[in-house]
Amino acid sequence: MTTFGRPRLHLRLTDSTNDRARELAEAGAPGGTVVTAEEQTAGRGRRGRVWSAPAGSALLYSALLRPLELEHVLLPLSVPIAVCEAIESLTPVRCEVKWPNDIWIEERKVAGVLIEARPPDWAVIGVGLNVAIADEDFPADLRWPATSIGSGVSVARAQLAVSRELGEWVEAPQARVLAAFRERDALAGREVSWEGAGGASGAGSGRAAGIDERGNIVVELSDGGRVSLGSGEVSLRLG
Ligand code: BTN
């Protein structure tokens, strides 16, 4: 089992903790190394989006997993589960996952995950978790309403909880990961549309019908057909 958070490098200011962790990975840092920062100047989200948070009020966290092995094949599912469990250990809320990487509390985004990997050597697991951001301090142009853990939780406690739960989940058996994800699947049964997939299913819409064994989302089409979409290729939205 990987123990996350030992060693840990905490920075007051950096461009992106994922970039720092990637450098450490390439320099031979051990699995479990964590980089955190109080503030990022170039925080990145999925699909080239920007991730920003006021200094000191979010967990900006990147963990190194190495080597990448077959047991990590469901990492894109196990990491959001770990973040959900970390949040729920800190405050009495229920978290769901909007496949593949958004963590929601009551349909508002509280955290996002950005995994960047160089298989088979390493993966950097990036987590941005809103801990104490007031509603009025979120950027006005967010694509989806955001929220924060609040209730007096500190960033330091959030870091410990995320490290602990990553240790619990990243090497968990696949059947356990799939079952846990299906219980938290915020999209199941809802109308979704997507774009960006390769081949015949380049763009479309339908009803989300759960996650398959590989961690892809399955969508039922109006003609009765089904497509399976991978997290690396599509941008998915509700409705
Ligand atoms: C998303 O929701 O699109 C993923 C957001 C991931 C943000 C975190 S913050 C820490 C780490 N460093 C980054 O530059 N990005 C991730």
Side-chain angles (χ1 to χ4, degrees), residues 16-18 40 42-46 51 60-62 101-102 109 112-114 126-128:
S16 158
T17 55
N18 265 32
Q40 295 181 129
R44 283 183 280 111
R46 281 184 72 242
W51 179 272
L60 307 169
Y61 176 105
S62 299
N101 75 316
D102 288 359
K109 182 165 172 171
V113 171
L114 176 67
V127 177

